[in-house]
């Protein structure tokens, strides 16, 4: 493989010497985004193993009832709502428990800085960037489901991890599969990474039909139960585009060697092609508890109650090439990655705004990718070397996406 090498586990030698959790040495954990789809699966795994884990801090945006219930059940030390308007409700919900409450951006950073050995990055969107950097910056083991910070600020995230001797473990099912399939392979033995994609709910739909798709249809993923934003990303296949960028960041494999193949059953979670012609894959039921447990137990494995794969019952595994014509987000994300610099930051920010606008019924389904493309084409490169620079670039892309959406001309043409 030319030049670059698979990098995981991020942290290299720092990853060694991290003991697995045990009753003699329980692992302290913090869950950022505890009330979300990833967060709830993580909390369920923790609840099954009270002797192995201690909960340090939990965060949410504004779902006070769910956050307070989790904090009470797990005897967390700190609970944080990102929305300052939800703070009073949180304090009331935790009254008499001794659990500390905090709010806002500073509260999220505080949660990430508390001395938990293991942190789940489970916030959705670039909102998770600052707390993820804070956790990495103090050398934690960070299980990263929250792909947007890797897309938007990949070099900064990796550099922060490297400098602090942190460990970055991929939780996104495809990247976790690749992490597992890579094993201890020598970098020059890896030829290609093959990301599988379910194809989402509109895999077989015509462009015309997709033009009329509703938010309800877009979030109804055939195989996975996930939050609204990633579900819409799966429907446009921008999710797979973001994952190409995520894979390039995590594994150091150049973009032309990262392939995408549609696999509607979501049983094969991704593959590594080696130079000798071998393909290694990780298979399992489409259940996020499996990759989360892999990261939670790492470097050991945890038993889970996830459904067991019965291959005879599955019967067949289908694969087909993705349609770049009906799913232009794939080529767009590749273009952003090749352009480099701020392009992935712009792509991600415009996509977050466009997905929110689609969910709010302000734009049609096909306008999501049109908006992203138009914003990406319109903005020049910008610095992305620091958190402040990334967030400034992100803000500018959001502003332009809002202008495009507000004008009723997502492409910028009239
Ligand atoms: P959800 O929308 O279900 O949950 C998001 C979590 O983040 C909630 O706890 C939410 O709090 C919190 N949150 C939302 N916005 C903010 C904000 N601005 N500031 C702080 N916290 C916030 O998302 P998912 O769990 O589906 O996804 C989380 C991340 O994991 C995403 O990046 C996604 O791409 C990735 N991922 C998800 C998978 C899945 O199966 N769900 C699979 C692979 C990756 P509240 O409940 O109060 O709104």
């Amino acid at each position: 493989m030319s030049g670059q090498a698979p990098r995981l586990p991020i942290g290299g030698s720092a990853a060694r010497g991290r003991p697995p959790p045990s009753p003699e040495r329980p692992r302290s954990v913090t869950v950022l985004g505890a009330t979300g789809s990833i967060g709830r699966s993580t909390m369920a795994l923790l609840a099954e193993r009270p002797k192995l884990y201690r909960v340090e801090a939990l965060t949410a945006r504004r779902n006070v009832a769910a956050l307070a219930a989790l904090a009470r059940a797990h005897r967390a030390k700190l609970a944080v709502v990102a929305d300052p308007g939800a703070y009073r409700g949180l304090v009331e919900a935790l009254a008499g428990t001794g659990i500390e409450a905090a709010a806002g951006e500073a509260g999220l950073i505080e949660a990430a800085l508390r001395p938990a050995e293991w942190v789940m990055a489970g916030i959705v969107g670039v909102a998770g960037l600052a707390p993820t950097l804070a956790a990495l910056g103090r050398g934690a083991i960070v299980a990263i489901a929250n792909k947007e910070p890797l897309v938007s600020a990949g070099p900064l995230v990796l550099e922060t991890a490297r400098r602090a001797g942190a460990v970055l473990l991929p939780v996104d099912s495809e990247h976790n599969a690749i992490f597992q399939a890579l094993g201890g392979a020598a970098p020059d033995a890896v030829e290609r990474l093959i990301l599988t994609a379910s194809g989402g709910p509109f895999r077989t739909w015509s462009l015309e039909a997709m033009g009329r798709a509703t938010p309800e249809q877009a979030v109804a993923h055939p195989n996975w139960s996930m939050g609204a934003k990633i579900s819409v990303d799966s429907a446009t296949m921008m999710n797979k585009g973001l994952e190409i960028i995520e894979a390039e960041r995590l594994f150091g494999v150049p973009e032309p060697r990262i392939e995408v193949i549609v696999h509607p059953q979501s049983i094969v979670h991704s593959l590594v092609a080696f130079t000798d012609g071998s393909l290694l894959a990780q298979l399992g039921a489409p259940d996020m508890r499996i990759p989360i447990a892999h990261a939670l137990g790492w470097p050991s494995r945890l038993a889970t109650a996830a459904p067991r794969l019965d291959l005879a019952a599955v019967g067949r595994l289908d694969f087909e090439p993705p349609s770049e014509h009906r799913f232009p987000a794939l080529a767009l994300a590749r273009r952003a990655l090749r352009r480099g610099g701020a392009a992935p930051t712009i792509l991600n920010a415009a996509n977050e705004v466009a997905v929110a606008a689609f969910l709010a019924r302000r734009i049609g389904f096909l306008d999501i990718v049109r908006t992203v493309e138009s914003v990406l084409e319109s903005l020049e490169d910008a610095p992305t070397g620091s958190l402040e620079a990334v967030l400034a670039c992100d803000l500018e892309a959001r502003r332009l996406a809002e202008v495009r959406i507000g004008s009723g001309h997502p492409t910028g043409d009239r």
Side-chain angles (χ1 to χ4, degrees):
M1 216 182 63
S2 68
Q4 304 190 48
R7 294 184 178 128
L8 280 185
I10 301 293
S13 57
R16 289 193 283 275
R18 305 273 186 151
S22 66
E24 297 70 44
R25 200 189 160 286
R27 182 174 267 182
S28 56
V29 308
T30 282
V31 181
L32 305 171
T35 53
S37 166
I38 289 289
R40 279 180 278 116
S41 295
T42 308
M43 300 313 295
L45 288 166
L46 294 174
E48 290 164 14
R49 299 171 180 78
K51 293 208 171 78
L52 290 189
Y53 298 97
R54 302 260 179 282
V55 174
E56 182 73 33
L58 301 176
T59 80
R61 179 175 42 178
R62 61 172 76 97
N63 188 345
V64 166
L67 179 65
L70 287 169
R72 282 171 179 266
H74 291 264
R75 300 205 188 112
K77 294 185 185 154
L78 171 69
V80 177
V81 275
D83 178 356
Y87 177 66
R88 186 183 285 270
L90 182 64
V91 171
E92 281 166 17
L94 294 176
T97 62
I99 301 169
E100 288 175 73
E105 178 79 10
L108 288 181
I109 302 291
E110 168 68 18
L113 288 176
R114 288 283 171 107
E117 189 186 348
W118 187 97
V119 176
M120 166 56 78
I123 290 174
V124 60
V126 102
L129 174 59
T132 299
L133 287 176
L136 288 170
R138 64 170 179 81
I141 302 172
V142 175
I144 190 149
N146 185 195
K147 65 190 84 184
E148 293 88 350
L150 278 171
V151 171
S152 183
L156 180 64
V157 169
L158 296 183
E159 187 47 33
T160 304
R162 224 171 270 129
R163 235 186 289 137
V167 178
L168 201 49
L169 300 173
V171 170
D172 213 352
S173 58
E174 296 77 2
H175 304 74
N176 182 267
I178 289 169
F179 179 35
Q180 295 198 42
L182 277 172
D188 61 2
V190 177
E191 191 176 80
R192 289 169 296 137
L193 304 181
I194 305 170
L195 297 170
T196 51
S198 69
F202 305 148
R203 178 175 63 88
T204 58
W205 288 32
S206 67
L207 269 175
E208 200 188 9
M210 278 194 255
R212 294 189 298 270
T214 64
E216 291 74 19
Q217 290 169 320
V219 300
H221 196 280
N223 304 336
W224 298 94
S225 162
M226 310 182 288
K229 194 264 177 181
I230 185 175
S231 297
V232 175
D233 284 344
S234 297
T236 57
M237 289 194 76
M238 181 60 87
N239 184 48
K240 213 48 56 179
L242 300 179
E243 287 178 9
I244 293 170
I245 302 175
E246 185 184 8
E248 189 266 353
R249 309 305 205 197
L250 285 173
F251 304 110
V253 173
E255 178 269 331
R257 295 181 193 220
I258 304 173
E259 296 177 3
V260 171
I261 189 155
V262 173
H263 166 48
Q265 291 97 347
S266 299
I267 297 286
V268 177
H269 296 304
S270 281
L271 310 93
V272 178
F274 291 91
T275 47
D276 64 359
S278 298
L279 274 182
L280 291 194
Q282 184 257 355
L283 282 69
D287 185 324
M288 284 307 293
R289 285 178 297 178
I290 299 173
I292 295 171
H294 184 259
L296 202 47
W298 183 89
S300 295
R301 282 191 188 260
L302 294 181
T304 80
R308 271 29 184 180
L309 199 55
D310 179 347
L311 283 175
V314 172
R316 53 184 273 183
L317 298 173
D318 297 310
F319 300 93
E320 63 196 37
S323 164
E324 298 223 338
H325 173 61
R326 288 184 300 120
F327 297 101
L330 280 173
L332 194 59
R334 285 192 187 277
R335 222 192 304 156
L337 181 54
R338 283 199 299 267
R339 197 171 117 188
T345 317
I346 297 165
L347 174 98
N348 179 71
N351 184 57
E352 287 194 31
V353 171
V355 169
F358 168 70
L359 286 169
R361 298 177 208 279
R362 293 173 61 209
I363 58 173
F365 181 75
L366 297 178
D367 293 330
I368 298 172
V369 178
R370 286 183 193 136
T371 303
V372 178
E373 179 165 26
S374 134
V375 173
L376 189 61
E377 299 295 306
S378 304
L379 289 181
E380 305 274 310
D381 198 20
T384 53
S386 67
L387 174 61
E388 294 70 29
V390 169
L391 294 181
C393 174
D394 174 272
L395 199 62
E396 178 60 11
R398 282 171 194 270
R399 192 195 57 75
L400 185 58
E402 279 296 352
V403 169
R404 293 278 196 266
I405 290 164
S407 73
H409 297 275
T411 61
D413 301 332
R414 278 158 197 267

